[in-house]
Amino acid sequence: MSENVSFSYGPIALMNKVEKEFNFFEILFQGLGGKAKHLVESAKLFSYNKLAESISINKIQDIYPYELFEEIGFKEEISDRTLYRNLERIGNKYKFLMKNYQKFIKMNNLASEKQFIDFSSSYFEGNSSELGALGYSRDQQPGKLQVTWGISTGDNEIPTAITIQKGNVCDKEHFKFMLNTVKKVLDEKSLLIFDCGGNTKKNKNKIIELGFNYLTLKAKQRSTYQKYISLFEQQAKFGCFINGKVYFYTKTKSEEEYQYIFFSPDLKEDQIRKRSKRFQKDLAKGDKILKKINKGKPVGEHISRMGNIILKGEVQTTLSEIVNPYITGLEGYFILESSVGLRPQKILCLYKQRDKAEKLIRDMKEGSDLRPIRHWNKTVVIGYLLIVFLTNCLVKLTHFLSKNSVVKNLKLLKKFLNNLTVTVIYRKNNLREMILSNFSEEIRTILEEKPPNS
């Protein structure tokens, strides 16, 4: 007689809800045939894993019982090798699957006219990845190879696109690939909202050529900002309260672009406080070095081919008080640029909604345990990132259907999903009984109704 087993049912219930309403996996893998065996089931298993234990592929069969595989749709046992191959096939068919996903978005009218675009990176364990390169690390791992990726999500919080590039591709270059992806799903006059990383004249002109609009942050360059600050001080200013903070603003236009100049006393105070704290840390660090110099001791030592390099220092005293170099005089100011002329309050509120893109990135990284990436093969890495993206799409679609879900953060939501447990009991007469337990109120709000016992 088979042994009784238990496993988390929450991730399956979540996927079943989306599949029942939208035929998500059926549309996504429609037309993808060939030699791929159990490809759809494997994709569901990978998504389940990201919502459950998030373990490596070679441990999946050791950790999860066969009854789980049956619940997902497998008709027979599957090997680790086949799972790896299917993940590679998913990566190899990235463009095809993204095309089907965007077709799914269009047919369900889920492509919002306001899109929030942002970019991030994830690092590798190992040095053999084809996509790996050294670049600006958002994970504070500057010595490790990484891959950069970008996402676009609507103000309805439904993601519309993911792009993947090598780890040394900067945001302004990556933006071109994102634009080529989102243009296939967005309607004319859609508004693209992004930060200063993608703000170049070439990118903005391309957005206009495609029939879209943009709203972006102007990079803080002292000479440029001082010109606008002078203009701000000369013109009549208006004020508004947003999220408990006061903002003063003025609006200008040059050629076909609007500039919205904002100043916040609260923001200025906060920035000065942080930069003063940083300055004090540097002074404390300098005091330690100063003690060594006053005692005639070396302040550093490095190894070279010719021997040890001994670093000694001299103090260049100043007659005046040391000025904090981090305070630039631009504190509290920021400038938004847009191809649309709206009320400054509306523009600011729209830009602040960029946190929807930031939250999606956080859910992908922390909620889906994206990092570190341990795959090296290029197509496997692409498949892995695509699975993480699609898993988060499933979660966002579930929130969209529920409307009243109280747990938005994926890292926290997973705890409730995994508490919902199914226990498979084998009776003496070989009959099998399945019992659900731990159905919490938080799960009820997202799944809306208790699934019946099997």
Side-chain angles (χ1 to χ4, degrees):
M1 187 174 67
S2 301
E3 293 184 1
N4 300 338
V5 296
S6 295
F7 56 88
S8 298
Y9 186 79
I12 295 177
L14 185 146
M15 289 190 292
N16 287 347
K17 178 177 180 178
V18 175
E19 187 69 7
K20 179 181 178 182
E21 182 69 26
F22 293 115
N23 294 321
F24 182 80
F25 287 99
E26 180 181 337
I27 294 172
L28 197 65
F29 288 88
Q30 188 176 34
L32 190 58
K35 297 180 180 179
K37 192 175 182 181
H38 303 303
L39 189 60
V40 176
E41 291 82 6
S42 295
K44 289 182 178 181
L45 178 63
F46 296 145
S47 289
Y48 175 93
N49 182 44
K50 279 298 164 188
L51 292 171
E53 301 295 333
S54 194
I55 55 179
S56 61
I57 291 179
N58 62 353
K59 296 292 184 181
I60 283 180
Q61 289 191 317
D62 296 334
I63 302 298
Y64 299 134
Y66 180 69
E67 288 79 2
L68 167 63
F69 289 75
E70 288 183 318
E71 194 69 25
I72 287 175
F74 287 96
K75 304 299 182 184
E76 57 188 31
E77 291 189 9
I78 190 169
S79 65
D80 295 342
R81 184 179 180 183
T82 302
L83 290 176
Y84 274 114
R85 282 183 175 179
N86 283 343
L87 183 59
E88 186 173 4
R89 288 187 179 103
I90 289 171
N92 193 43
K93 296 297 182 180
Y94 159 76
K95 292 182 179 179
F96 178 87
L97 291 169
M98 183 52 59
K99 179 181 177 182
N100 276 1
Y101 175 73
Q102 293 187 322
K103 172 185 172 184
F104 162 80
I105 292 293
K106 288 285 283 185
M107 66 187 294
N108 288 286
N109 197 30
L110 294 171
S112 172
E113 65 175 7
K114 298 180 182 67
Q115 290 289 314
F116 305 96
I117 296 173
D118 206 352
F119 302 94
S120 191
S121 62
S122 297
Y123 67 95
F124 292 95
E125 288 294 351
N127 301 306
S128 301
S129 175
E130 298 173 60
L131 281 172
L134 292 176
Y136 171 63
S137 176
R138 278 85 163 186
D139 294 332
Q140 287 76 51
Q141 298 286 340
K144 294 187 177 181
L145 300 182
Q146 65 174 15
V147 59
T148 58
W149 46 276
I151 55 92
S152 179
T153 187
D155 63 352
N156 59 357
E157 300 191 17
I158 303 299
T160 52
I162 180 172
T163 52
I164 302 165
Q165 295 295 313
K166 291 194 71 171
N168 57 357
V169 176
C170 63
D171 289 356
K172 64 181 180 181
E173 292 296 321
H174 199 152
F175 192 88
K176 300 174 185 176
F177 299 97
M178 176 58 72
L179 197 54
N180 285 333
T181 304
V182 297
K183 71 180 183 181
K184 300 171 185 176
V185 71
L186 299 184
D187 294 329
E188 192 176 357
K189 300 300 181 182
S190 291
L191 180 63
L192 307 184
I193 303 169
F194 50 96
D195 65 14
C196 58
N199 184 359
T200 66
K201 189 173 182 179
K202 197 170 182 180
N203 286 341
K204 291 187 289 188
N205 287 340
K206 186 64 177 178
I207 291 172
I208 299 301
E209 286 177 19
L210 292 172
F212 304 140
N213 288 306
Y214 64 83
L215 169 58
T216 184
L217 176 69
K218 189 174 187 66
K220 273 199 174 183
Q221 296 177 346
R222 186 177 297 188
S223 58
T224 305
Y225 260 66
Q226 284 177 341
K227 180 183 71 172
Y228 282 103
I229 291 173
S230 298
L231 184 64
F232 176 84
E233 292 174 345
Q234 294 170 10
Q235 292 183 345
K237 293 173 282 295
F238 303 91
C240 64
F241 278 95
I242 299 177
N243 296 333
K245 291 185 178 180
V246 63
Y247 294 88
F248 297 98
Y249 58 83
T250 188
K251 176 181 175 182
T252 64
K253 184 180 180 183
S254 59
E255 297 180 354
E256 297 301 318
E257 184 178 72
Y258 296 89
Q259 289 83 33
Y260 301 85
I261 310 168
F262 292 92
F263 172 74
S264 170
D266 294 329
L267 180 62
K268 178 180 180 179
E269 183 181 341
D270 186 54
Q271 289 176 343
I272 290 178
R273 179 182 57 80
K274 290 179 179 178
R275 291 169 188 180
S276 297
K277 186 177 180 181
R278 180 182 176 187
F279 181 52
Q280 292 302 319
K281 283 186 177 180
D282 286 351
L283 289 178
K285 184 178 179 181
D287 288 342
K288 292 181 181 179
I289 297 175
L290 189 61
K291 287 181 181 179
K292 291 185 178 181
I293 293 174
N294 291 335
K295 292 179 179 179
K297 295 182 179 180
V299 296
E301 184 175 340
H302 298 276
I303 299 174
S304 74
R305 295 181 185 276
M306 296 181 64
N308 292 343
I309 301 174
I310 308 298
L311 302 181
K312 296 183 179 180
E314 294 181 356
V315 180
Q316 184 179 12
T317 58
T318 58
L319 299 177
S320 60
E321 185 179 351
I322 298 176
V323 178
N324 187 341
Y326 302 122
I327 295 178
T328 62
L330 308 182
E331 288 76 22
Y333 290 93
F334 60 95
I335 302 169
L336 300 179
E337 298 178 327
S338 181
S339 58
V340 294
L342 300 174
R343 291 185 300 111
Q345 302 99 308
K346 177 67 173 177
I347 285 290
L348 181 55
C349 288
L350 282 172
Y351 188 76
K352 281 181 171 291
Q353 290 181 47
R354 275 191 63 258
D355 67 343
K356 293 180 180 179
E358 295 167 356
K359 287 175 182 176
L360 175 58
I361 287 176
R362 185 172 65 244
D363 281 345
M364 289 178 66
K365 284 189 168 185
E366 299 176 4
S368 306
D369 297 313
L370 172 59
R371 54 192 179 186
I373 301 175
R374 302 183 187 277
H375 304 288
W376 292 353
N377 181 283
K378 178 180 178 179
T379 51
V380 173
V381 171
I382 293 174
Y384 175 70
L385 286 168
L386 185 57
I387 285 294
V388 171
F389 174 76
L390 293 175
T391 301
N392 280 270
C393 292
L394 287 168
V395 174
K396 297 299 183 183
L397 286 168
T398 306
H399 288 308
F400 181 79
L401 290 173
S402 300
K403 299 297 183 183
N404 63 341
S405 51
V406 295
V407 184
K408 294 288 187 178
N409 180 275
L410 181 54
K411 191 172 183 179
L412 179 59
L413 177 62
K414 282 172 61 176
K415 295 181 180 180
F416 295 108
L417 286 174
N418 289 301
N419 282 339
L420 180 59
T421 305
V422 65
T423 302
V424 183
I425 300 174
Y426 291 92
R427 303 298 184 185
K428 292 183 179 180
N429 54 6
N430 290 327
L431 291 178
R432 188 170 73 174
E433 183 179 358
M434 300 177 72
I435 301 175
L436 278 171
S437 57
N438 302 329
F439 196 87
S440 64
E441 187 60 33
E442 290 80 5
I443 289 298
R444 191 181 303 277
T445 60
I446 192 170
L447 299 180
E448 289 190 338
E449 60 181 6
K450 182 175 179 180
N453 288 347
S454 302

